[in-house]
């Protein structure tokens, strides 16, 4: 998270925390009590000028709203800037829900340009159809790409002509299994990685692309919308085969960018339009990605290493400028 914030010039630090629990086993009331108790336990270390939590796996705007309310009640005043990803009515930013998926597609399109790939009619394999994956699918679809396969934890669906993304979204929102979607062919999960494509976007969980999978993937571009989906040795295999890997610290940084924009709006007591948020998001991600590519070319290193070089050069420069308090 520190690297992700630094590489896109967001003045946040970086940490992760949460509660180990199966959200699906909890009622709404139980989930609220867990959230509020957790917030009360960390209330001494979070705050609008200290540590600003944001949504991640298995959380949503409602949960962020509970965090806001709990912290505000403890402090005796409404503190909207303590958390990002809130409902719009509680000071959330327009464009936040879509930010990570949209940002990943913006980066995918930029990366495609660099390798001479036209995103229009490009074949996309998408692993994961949660908030990030479904958003990415919509944006790929809007840009004319063909999302030919989608895999979630329950199954895999395929259509060589491209899946009807609005219909698939409606199908899954109605709690139907992905394999029952009438607009595609259900496949065994292991077949997903065998499908020929132009772009693969893992948007689920870590450790999905192993060396064995990397050896047989037929694609030109891997864009990491999830955190850590490619194993280190697998990335070396992909590079040796001429497949470009865009690392997570750049590819999925859209969420933290708009979390920052939300925090700024809360501190200003002002709201930008969704178009303004999208414009700032696109510009920040594109500039960061272009700088990462330049570093990779100048130093003859991978995009991942270049991203960390750029990020921690900024961190070390800030540390040097501040000095050490005795």
């Amino acid at each position: 998270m520190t690297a992700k914030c630094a590489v896109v010039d967001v003045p946040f630090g970086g940490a992760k925390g949460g509660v180990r629990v199966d959200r699906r086993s909890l009622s709404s009331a139980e989930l609220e009590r867990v959230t509020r108790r957790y917030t009360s336990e960390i209330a001494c270390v979070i705050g609008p000028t200290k540590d600003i939590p944001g949504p991640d796996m298995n959380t949503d705007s409602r949960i962020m709203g509970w965090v806001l309310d709990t912290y505000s009640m403890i402090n005796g005043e409404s503190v909207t800037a303590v958390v990002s990803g809130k409902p719009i009515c509680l000071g959330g930013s327009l464009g936040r829900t879509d930010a990570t998926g949209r940002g990943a597609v913006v980066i995918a399109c930029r990366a495609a340009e660099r390798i001479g790939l036209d995103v229009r009619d490009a074949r996309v394999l998408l692993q994961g159809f949660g908030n990030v994956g479904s958003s990415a699918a919509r944006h790929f679809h809007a840009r004319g790409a063909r999302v030919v396969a989608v895999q979630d934890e329950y199954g895999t669906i395929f259509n060589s002509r491209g899946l009807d993304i609005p219909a698939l979204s409606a199908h899954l929102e109605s709690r139907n299994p992905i394999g029952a979607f009438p607009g595609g062919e259900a496949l065994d999960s292991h077949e997903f990685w065998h499908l020929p494509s132009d772009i693969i976007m893992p948007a689920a969980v870590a450790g999905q692309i192993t060396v064995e999978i990397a050896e047989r993937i037929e694609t030109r571009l891997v864009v990491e919308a999830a955190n850590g989906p490619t194993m280190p040795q697998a990335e070396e295999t992909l590079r040796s085969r001429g497949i470009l890997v865009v690392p997570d610290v750049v590819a999925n940084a859209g969420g933290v960018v708009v979390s920052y924009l939300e925090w700024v709006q809360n501190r200003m007591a002002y709201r930008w339009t969704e178009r303004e948020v999208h414009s700032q998001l696109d510009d920040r991600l594109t500039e960061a990605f272009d700088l990462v590519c330049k570093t990779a070319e100048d130093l003859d290193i991978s995009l991942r290493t270049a991203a960390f070089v750029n990020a921690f050069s900024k961190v070390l420069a800030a540390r040097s400028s501040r000095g050490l308090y005795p």
Side-chain angles (χ1 to χ4, degrees):
M1 288 304 298
T2 299
K4 188 181 297 185
C5 291
V7 80
V8 292
D9 282 326
V10 167
F12 286 166
K16 287 287 185 180
V19 181
R20 188 190 304 181
V21 64
D22 182 359
R23 175 179 172 175
R24 294 168 296 187
S25 70
L26 302 179
S27 67
S28 178
E30 289 171 330
L31 182 61
E32 180 176 358
R33 290 197 294 272
V34 167
T35 302
R36 290 185 181 276
R37 179 55 187 268
Y38 177 64
T39 304
S40 69
E41 293 288 345
I42 65 171
C44 59
V45 296
I46 65 175
T49 60
K50 293 195 290 186
D51 196 332
I52 301 96
D56 207 302
M57 288 183 64
N58 296 315
T59 58
D60 54 24
S61 62
R62 179 180 59 161
I63 291 175
M64 298 302 106
W66 291 334
V67 173
L68 163 64
D69 183 66
T70 305
Y71 184 86
S72 296
M73 294 300 291
I74 290 171
N75 285 271
E77 61 178 333
S78 182
V79 189
T80 56
V82 70
V83 66
S84 66
K86 306 176 293 293
I88 301 299
C89 62
L90 296 180
S93 175
L94 296 168
R96 175 59 184 87
T97 302
D98 228 19
T100 305
R102 175 190 174 88
V105 174
V106 168
I107 292 295
C109 292
R110 194 70 170 180
E113 287 179 23
R114 297 188 71 88
I115 62 173
L117 172 64
D118 190 348
V119 171
R120 291 173 299 178
D121 207 41
R123 299 164 299 173
V124 179
L125 305 184
L126 185 60
Q127 187 192 45
F129 209 76
N131 177 55
V132 176
S134 61
S135 172
R138 290 195 304 274
H139 286 287
F140 271 128
H141 185 72
R143 285 166 169 77
R146 286 183 290 145
V147 180
V148 297
V150 170
Q151 180 179 87
D152 67 10
E153 60 185 312
Y154 302 109
T156 302
I157 196 76
F158 169 74
N159 186 325
S160 61
R161 297 185 301 276
L163 295 163
D164 184 336
I165 297 302
L168 178 60
S169 297
H171 174 85
L172 295 176
E173 286 169 6
S174 299
R175 299 185 179 276
N176 296 305
I178 193 169
F181 180 61
E185 174 189 358
L187 301 177
D188 290 335
S189 292
H190 73 274
E191 294 182 78
F192 176 81
W193 302 107
H194 290 281
L195 298 170
S197 66
D198 300 298
I199 302 171
I200 294 179
M201 181 173 284
V205 295
Q208 296 300 293
I209 302 179
T210 62
V211 172
E212 181 183 2
I213 288 175
E215 289 173 345
R216 65 174 187 259
I217 280 177
E218 295 182 43
T219 196
R220 297 181 62 186
L221 180 63
V222 174
V223 182
E224 295 185 334
N227 286 325
T230 310
M231 302 298 286
Q233 289 182 317
E235 182 170 358
E236 290 302 315
T237 299
L238 292 173
R239 286 191 69 199
S240 70
R241 297 183 58 212
I243 298 171
L244 182 65
V245 179
V246 182
D248 47 10
V249 289
V250 179
N252 68 28
V256 75
V257 169
V258 180
S259 281
Y260 163 67
L261 297 178
E262 180 178 332
W263 176 77
V264 171
Q265 290 171 86
N266 292 158
R267 299 281 283 171
M268 295 169 59
Y270 187 76
R271 175 173 289 165
W272 291 315
T273 65
E274 189 166 21
R275 177 178 294 181
E276 289 172 318
V277 171
H278 286 166
S279 176
Q280 292 200 51
L281 169 65
D282 296 356
D283 289 347
R284 281 176 174 269
L285 290 180
T286 300
E287 180 180 0
F289 179 69
D290 287 348
L291 287 174
V292 167
C293 290
K294 184 177 186 306
T295 299
E297 292 168 358
D298 290 346
L299 301 180
D300 192 23
I301 54 180
S302 70
L303 291 183
R304 189 181 309 278
T305 303
F308 278 89
V309 168
N310 286 6
F312 288 111
S313 293
K314 297 173 186 177
V315 173
L316 293 172
R319 178 184 177 184
S320 175
S321 296
R322 291 190 64 155
L324 181 64
Y325 181 74

